Amino acid sequence: MRLVLPRWAGPLAVKAAAFITVMCCALAALLGVLVHVSVTNQTVGQARSLALSKLADATQAYEAGDALLPNAGVDPRGLPAPLRTLAAAGNRGTMVSSHDGRPTMWAAGPVAGHRALAVAVDYSQQARTIDGLDHSIMWSSGLAIGATVLVGVFAVTRVTRRLHATARVARRISAGDLDSRVDDPRTKDPSRPQDEVAAVAAALDTMASSLQSKLLSEQRFTADVAHELRTPLTGLHAAAELLPPGRPTELVRDRVAALRTLTEDLLEISRLDTGRERLEVDTEELAALARRVVRASGTDTEVRVLADARVETDRRRLERVLGNLVANAHKHGAPPVVVTVNGAVVTVRDHGGGYPDYLLAHGPQRFRTEGGATGHGLGLTIALGQAEVLGARLFFANAIDGGAVATLVLPLVEGR
């Protein structure tokens, strides 16, 4: 089963927590070993000195023919074999072993006849001291590691939360919300230390502000140009109507009409870009509206109704969306063109070469066409913008067996 991390957690937080844990464990192990070795050497050294001192007293008493002290004797029972061998070879030494169920420090030395004179010193207290020290080291190391990990994870998650907040703002900006800002408090207070995350947040806010200013300037320019063109175009249209009948007159009128349509499209796009569009919501029968759009288009388009639905929408804008989709299907696709109504979902499909790859990957782009197609790329751009105003979703795809498919998903009337 895959571990599900919190939303604020990610690879950076996990790696940082793992690194802190490993380093804490390594440091605690190193300090624990150093303390254990130091205390053990000191404790064992003291016990060895005591045992050797008692061995010296026992040797002196043995050589003087006096009675040996308790826990001293020649080749006593329980003397470890390695220590017995060492003493029989003429050397003195000490060794810790278990004797009668208790830890014992043995000290042994040679006596006449290759025998060993040994003294046993109770080592229980020293063993308990070392065991207690080891337990204390384990508990204190565990507490220190836990506290350090908690503090480290808290510090790391504060950074990762800020990074996630910055990433969310970047995604909103890329989605078109140019008003989004990180607004990291560290970037507004010069007295506070500026870390790398604050620097990234400040750079992102600056980039968003600059991008917003440039886009607003371009939108104003487009709107101003389109608005200024309307007056001369109106006069040009009136003058074209006064021309005598003939082929040249038809060409002039056709080009003037195309220029007027382009100007109106530019004005509509500028209104969509600035968010000034307002809905006039009413309840509509989707199948009837689709049939009206097809009749108004004057094209040979089939309407199929799998399931009708009532939707809350702006009729004019919805007709604009469907009309642009039908017009695009006939202009850039191939017949038959079919409009299918299935509940609140409307699809417009043709049987041409399908949408280009750039449109499927990035959506419609104004003034961009490929494959020798004619037009300005504004029809689908307007359809997508109006769909967003309606609160609908518009998807573009290519059918498996060929042709372009545009799918419009509308919100249903509540309770239906």
Side-chain angles (χ1 to χ4, degrees):
M1 184 176 65
R2 186 176 180 181
L3 179 63
V4 180
L5 299 174
R7 292 184 63 184
W8 52 263
L12 178 61
V14 173
K15 290 178 182 178
F19 175 77
I20 293 172
T21 302
V22 171
M23 292 303 298
C24 288
C25 291
L27 182 60
L30 178 62
L31 292 177
V33 169
L34 292 176
V35 172
H36 173 82
V37 170
S38 176
V39 174
T40 300
N41 288 339
Q42 182 180 1
T43 303
V44 172
Q46 292 175 352
R48 180 180 292 114
S49 297
L50 177 60
L52 290 175
S53 175
K54 289 190 175 185
L55 177 62
D57 293 341
T59 302
Q60 184 178 2
Y62 179 80
E63 291 175 350
D66 297 336
L68 295 177
L69 299 173
N71 298 325
V74 178
D75 293 332
R77 179 181 60 85
L79 180 64
L83 190 57
R84 186 190 303 275
T85 303
L86 180 67
N91 299 309
R92 307 179 95 190
T94 60
M95 185 175 179
V96 177
S97 69
S98 179
H99 180 58
D100 293 336
R102 294 183 302 174
T104 302
M105 172 67 77
W106 290 93
V111 292
H114 299 287
R115 302 175 70 187
L117 175 63
V119 175
V121 177
D122 186 14
Y123 193 71
S124 300
Q125 181 63 39
Q126 290 85 345
R128 285 193 296 269
T129 300
I130 294 175
D131 289 343
L133 174 66
D134 290 342
H135 283 87
S136 298
I137 290 174
M138 293 294 294
W139 280 104
S140 60
S141 297
L143 291 175
I145 291 172
T148 305
V149 169
L150 289 177
V151 173
V153 169
F154 173 75
V156 171
T157 52
R158 289 190 64 187
V159 175
T160 55
R161 283 193 182 98
R162 293 168 60 198
L163 288 174
H164 278 281
T166 304
R168 285 195 299 271
V169 171
R171 285 192 289 268
R172 288 200 297 267
I173 292 174
S174 65
D177 184 8
L178 298 181
D179 293 323
S180 294
R181 298 292 184 272
V182 180
D183 287 332
D184 194 314
R186 290 170 179 78
T187 61
K188 299 180 179 180
D189 187 359
S191 63
R192 300 184 66 178
Q194 302 294 308
D195 57 10
E196 289 78 2
V197 180
V200 172
L204 180 62
D205 288 347
T206 302
M207 180 199 71
S209 298
S210 176
L211 180 62
Q212 186 178 36
S213 298
K214 291 180 180 179
L215 288 178
L216 290 176
S217 177
E218 292 178 1
Q219 290 170 4
R220 283 194 298 268
F221 174 77
T222 302
D224 291 343
V225 168
H227 186 270
E228 292 298 324
L229 284 174
R230 297 181 77 179
T231 300
L233 279 175
T234 301
L236 188 59
H237 177 74
E241 293 296 326
L242 299 177
L243 293 175
R247 181 60 180 166
T249 299
E250 292 178 0
L251 292 175
V252 171
R253 290 175 179 174
D254 179 69
R255 292 300 86 197
V256 170
L259 190 56
R260 291 186 69 181
T261 301
L262 175 61
T263 303
E264 294 299 327
D265 287 346
L266 289 175
L267 283 173
E268 186 170 358
I269 287 178
S270 69
R271 289 194 299 268
L272 290 171
D273 287 339
T274 55
R276 295 185 307 217
E277 297 285 355
R278 295 294 179 266
L279 290 176
E280 296 179 4
V281 179
D282 198 359
T283 302
E284 297 288 338
E285 296 286 346
L286 196 52
L289 187 144
R291 292 190 180 97
R292 287 200 305 270
V293 170
V294 169
R295 284 197 301 270
S297 68
T299 59
D300 184 14
T301 303
E302 179 184 357
V303 178
R304 298 177 182 172
V305 180
L306 303 181
D308 199 359
R310 294 175 62 84
V311 294
E312 286 184 346
T313 188
D314 186 320
R315 179 180 57 82
R316 181 184 65 83
R317 297 183 192 281
L318 181 54
E319 289 178 349
R320 176 71 157 152
V321 173
L322 294 180
N324 281 13
L325 294 178
V326 171
N328 184 82
H330 282 280
K331 187 173 185 179
H332 301 289
V337 176
V338 180
V339 176
T340 304
V341 179
N342 187 6
V345 180
V346 182
T347 59
V348 179
R349 179 184 176 181
D350 62 61
H351 290 75
Y355 292 119
D357 292 337
Y358 81 87
L359 190 146
L360 297 177
H362 306 290
Q365 298 180 27
R366 60 194 70 174
F367 297 106
R368 177 175 179 177
T369 56
E370 290 186 357
T374 59
H376 306 285
L378 299 181
L380 293 183
T381 303
I382 292 174
L384 184 62
Q386 292 289 12
E388 292 177 354
V389 174
L390 293 172
R393 292 173 294 166
L394 181 58
F395 306 99
F396 300 97
N398 288 332
I400 298 177
D401 54 347
V405 180
T407 304
L408 180 67
V409 182
L410 293 158
L412 281 167
V413 177
E414 293 184 5
R416 292 294 184 101

